[in-house]
Amino acid sequence: MKISQLDPATLTDEQLTKLLYGYKKDDGKSGDCIFVPGSSKAVEYRVPKAVDLYKQGRARKLLFSGGVSWDETKTPEAVLMKAKALSLGIAAKDILVEDRSLHTKENVLASLLVLDRAIDLHRIKRLLLVTASYHMPRVYLMMRTYMPSWIEYSLCPVDDKTTTAENWHLSPFGRKRVETEARKLISYVQQGIIQEFPLISLNQQLI
């Protein structure tokens, strides 16, 4: 069955878990850059994970992407993520920032130029993706849709406390997050925003 044929309103908890969490986690490979899209909690959860990957020597550059501001300072999320990375010991020369995008598709599209200017797209062989576990399929498929086809990906998810594969269904907050994410993923494929992938093909790519 294809993703576009799914009805998010009828998916069971098991099916939702498989759709959003049923992919192969970090393969341990090194890449050219660590890509981190923003969120309201990205500084708390995603940046430390990305910094840890950098310090392991998995990539020599970090790219923080996101122009949304979440508080009264109106500071773009990418700028806040950079500040956190600097405080954790990352050199400014190794941090790339894209601070205009407002959602996941724009994270990818706006980062194309940043990556090309900093590294040259034709030189990039692999990107490490750092985002919330349940958000990873959408980020990965957006990348597959809009980034050059030769680029490969290592999926390096990070969990918060309430939306893991094991506990998302135990709280109203976690359930809302997962159900909303599933609706977005399915809707974007149906609209053609994300390329169509049969579920078996998606699983072969992600599991």
Side-chain angles (χ1 to χ4, degrees), residues 2-207:
K2 297 180 178 180
I3 293 176
S4 61
Q5 296 173 318
L6 296 175
D7 179 357
T10 65
L11 294 178
T12 66
D13 286 0
E14 181 180 358
Q15 290 170 324
L16 287 167
T17 299
K18 183 175 181 180
L19 177 64
L20 298 185
Y21 295 91
Y23 54 88
K24 182 178 179 181
K25 306 305 188 285
D26 192 356
D27 57 16
K29 295 181 180 179
S30 296
D32 302 284
C33 187
I34 300 164
F35 175 80
V36 189
S39 75
S40 61
K41 298 292 186 179
V43 169
E44 182 177 356
Y45 293 105
R46 301 180 191 181
V47 175
K49 173 72 172 184
V51 167
D52 184 53
L53 293 170
Y54 172 93
K55 290 183 176 180
Q56 291 175 31
R58 296 277 300 278
R60 293 186 293 178
K61 297 290 183 182
L62 292 160
L63 169 53
F64 298 119
S65 173
V68 177
S69 58
W70 296 96
D71 58 29
E72 64 280 357
T73 70
K74 304 300 182 184
T75 306
E77 52 200 349
V79 175
L80 294 175
M81 288 192 286
K82 177 181 179 179
K84 179 65 173 181
L86 290 171
S87 74
L88 294 174
I90 305 301
K93 66 180 179 61
D94 291 335
I95 300 175
L96 309 176
V97 169
E98 179 288 297
D99 62 0
R100 302 292 296 277
S101 59
L102 301 178
H103 51 71
T104 301
K105 180 183 176 183
E106 289 187 358
N107 288 150
V108 176
L109 292 174
S111 294
L112 275 166
L113 181 57
V114 175
L115 286 169
D116 192 44
R117 286 179 172 175
I119 303 175
D120 292 328
L121 280 175
H122 68 280
R123 299 182 186 278
I124 296 176
K125 304 302 181 185
R126 177 177 295 273
L127 296 174
L128 278 60
L129 308 183
V130 174
T131 191
S133 294
Y134 67 92
H135 185 225
M136 186 64 80
R138 182 153 57 101
V139 173
Y140 170 75
L141 294 180
M142 282 288 187
M143 287 283 188
R144 287 287 306 275
T145 300
Y146 295 104
M147 284 283 180
S149 60
W150 63 80
I151 296 178
E152 297 182 338
Y153 303 93
S154 293
L155 311 184
C156 308
V158 59
D159 282 318
D160 61 15
K161 298 176 182 178
T162 59
T163 323
T164 69
E166 294 75 27
N167 72 8
W168 68 263
H169 59 286
L170 299 178
S171 70
F173 179 74
R175 178 170 293 279
K176 181 178 179 180
R177 270 184 160 182
V178 163
E179 291 178 348
T180 298
E181 183 62 31
R183 285 196 298 271
K184 286 181 179 180
L185 179 61
I186 294 167
S187 174
Y188 291 175
V189 172
Q190 291 173 339
Q191 295 176 64
I193 296 171
I194 293 175
Q195 289 179 7
E196 177 72 277
F197 285 83
L199 276 181
I200 186 170
S201 175
L202 175 64
N203 288 338
Q204 288 172 351
Q205 293 290 336
L206 295 178
I207 291 179

